[in-house]
Amino acid sequence: MQRTKTALKYLGLGIAVTVMLGLAIAPFSKRLIEQWSRNDVEARSRLVYNAVQSQIVAAMADGDNVQLSLLFSAIALDQRILAVGLCAPQGGLIAPTKMMPAAFSCEKVARSDAESFSTIAIDGHRIMVGAFPVSSGTTRSYLVILHDLSFIDKRSGEARAFIIAVLFGVAVAMAGGAMIFVFVTLRGWMESLRRAVEDVRTGTSSLAATRDQSAIDVQIKKLLSEVEVGRSAINATQIEWSPTTLQQLLRDSLPEAEVLIVSNREPYIHNRDGDTVSVQVPASGLVSALEPVIRACGGTWIAHGSGSADRETVDRHDRIDVPPDRPAYSLRRIWISDEEQEGFYYGFANEGLWPLCHIAFVRPTFRENDWRLYQAINERFADAVVQEAKTDDPIVLVQDYHFALAPRMIRNKLPKATIITFWHIPWPNAETFSICPWKEQIIDGMLGSTILGFHTQFHCNNFFETVDRFIESRIDREHATVTLGGHETMVRAYPISIEWPPAALEGQPPVEVCRAEVRAALGLAPDTRIAVGIERFDYTKGILDRMRAVDDLLTRQPDWKGRLVFVQVAAPTRSKLSSYSSLQDDAVALADEINARHGSADYTPIRLLIRHHGAAEVFKLFRAADCCVVSSLHDGMNLVAKEFAAARDDERGVLVLSSFTGASRELAAALIVNPYHLHEMATALDTALRMPDREQQERMRAMRQQIREWNVYRWAARMLIDAAASRRRQRIFDLAGGAR
Ligand code: G6P
């Protein structure tokens, strides 16, 4: 009883210290966040100013307000920027963007030689106005950039809530620990009493049971103390995430956990060509992101063996160690017959779910037989997970729309598994999703996961909406969870990325050499400017639209003729489907048409290279390019955009990026375009090709910094940390004898 009292005393003391700590930290954090956010906004405004100053001067010199409007609208696409405009020397406001508050007036702008920042209140909002002098001839105007500062209050509120939540968590953990302690002590005490009575009665003594109980006690305390470990690490921006830090995280937070990946596409395909067997790394964003992660973690990757030499290269358990030159993990191949492939892969996955989830205006097709085969193949992969798992609680990373049913199937077979499902493509709104005849089963399958990840919060919201509409479940938007049949699934945004530093950059010659080699290989004159597009031949990528933009540019600005070549690399993909083969035919016809219109005997403006290119070739082309065009009509993330920036260690080259890619949320320093707006894309191409060196550098540096900081190791780490927290919570419940 004395120990119980002492525990309660320390608990009270702990809670008091925690509360005092909270009260002391909260105001300090508010000030810090306010200052930090303001600095952030100022730096952002400065970056924009530096980037566009020369274009404004040029437009002012030409008196071209339309050009200014276009430029300002492009700047205002940045979600944080409220409005942009130019205060004329006489005080009028030129080319204000759509969201410019009516109450804003240039009169209030401080006119000094240097930049100035002021805060004004409009309609109850705090607005920060950055004013930057722009001189043209003898006149001086001011570029005004308005930021709505309400996000600071939100951020402070979130930080305060976070601190309170953490402190509350600590207090609860302490209370929980103390309660368990009291409970265990009390039980032990009662037990001792009972045994003492028994001992007195029988004259014997037993200490063994007490020893067992205190072992559990120690374990629970250890688990409780570990619950928050890792969370702080992921938020620490100064950590540069790498294979080593990821391994360290696994060691510390998930000791002895085995990692299994499930995907349709395999990371290494063995193909036979006559007497030789070659290895191919497929063109797949999923593969390029996951491969470095499993190389770092080790484990088993379960995927469809699709190569012509795949069967002859595996052992009798259908496994092969990869990467071939430096094995780091095991690849388990699953065999799928041609008929199954028709229904599962071409049919349900690529004629059904793919067009359903992408807004590219291709009609989804759903067939009963495809659905039957989709279920069967999902079951086959779930069985393979059970066969490969060495423990009853592996971490299973289920990938993409090919396996929407597998999470539930795996959960039924391995109830203690931690299943992290990542959906690499967009998730549509509820109404669109309702087209799928088996929507309830798909959602139910996905909710077998412990964690369900999408690239953007927008897609998470769409998913919540879909669940809400079609499934009887409990949705907790505050904690971003869905509970179905007593099982809770966390639904979170984890924007995927690439490895940093990128392996394909190793051994690349300097940019000038790459450029010379690419020009020589394509037979281009030494001063030809190069724009590139590189991807799978997919109708979601907007390949035709960007070719039309090149056509438009050459028509409106014929001085580019003979000086600009657009190189489109397109890897054939899913060619059995008419939506894909007809795209290929259309692209060839369009390239011929544009080349006939603008080309000559020694000038071919569009080069269409229809074949798979390896990573080194792709990087060489990126390094040779003046600009890269990613004009997807809809894309979950688009890693090509990130790879282009990663390839440019010279900090040059311009990215023209569709606003309908997940990547556009992160790479705000790209030239963001609407791929449906031909004229806008052509103008962006022109801007890219004429962009001053300094501006290219600023933009490229910002993008590279973002990708380095938020690389794929951090992507994986964020999910694994959430997984670790979930596993510990479950183990505490198990140890305490409860269920979840
Ligand atoms: C997208 C999908 C991946 C897929 C890749 C290549 O990125 O999200 O799951 O692997 O396209 O497509 P494929 O059909 O060749 O695997």
Side-chain angles (χ1 to χ4, degrees), residues 265 283-286 345 354 400-402 424-425 536 573-574:
R265 190 55 67 200
S284 157
L286 178 158
Y345 172 77
W354 179 269
D400 230 351
Y401 60 100
H402 309 90
H424 290 254
I425 62 175
R536 291 179 305 106
T573 177
R574 309 172 193 169

Side-chain angles (χ1 to χ4, degrees), residues 55-78:
Q55 292 173 68
I56 298 177
V57 172
M60 278 164 62
D62 297 347
D64 188 350
N65 287 356
V66 175
Q67 184 63 21
L68 279 178
S69 280
L70 280 176
L71 182 64
F72 291 169
S73 306
I75 298 171
L77 283 175
D78 186 326

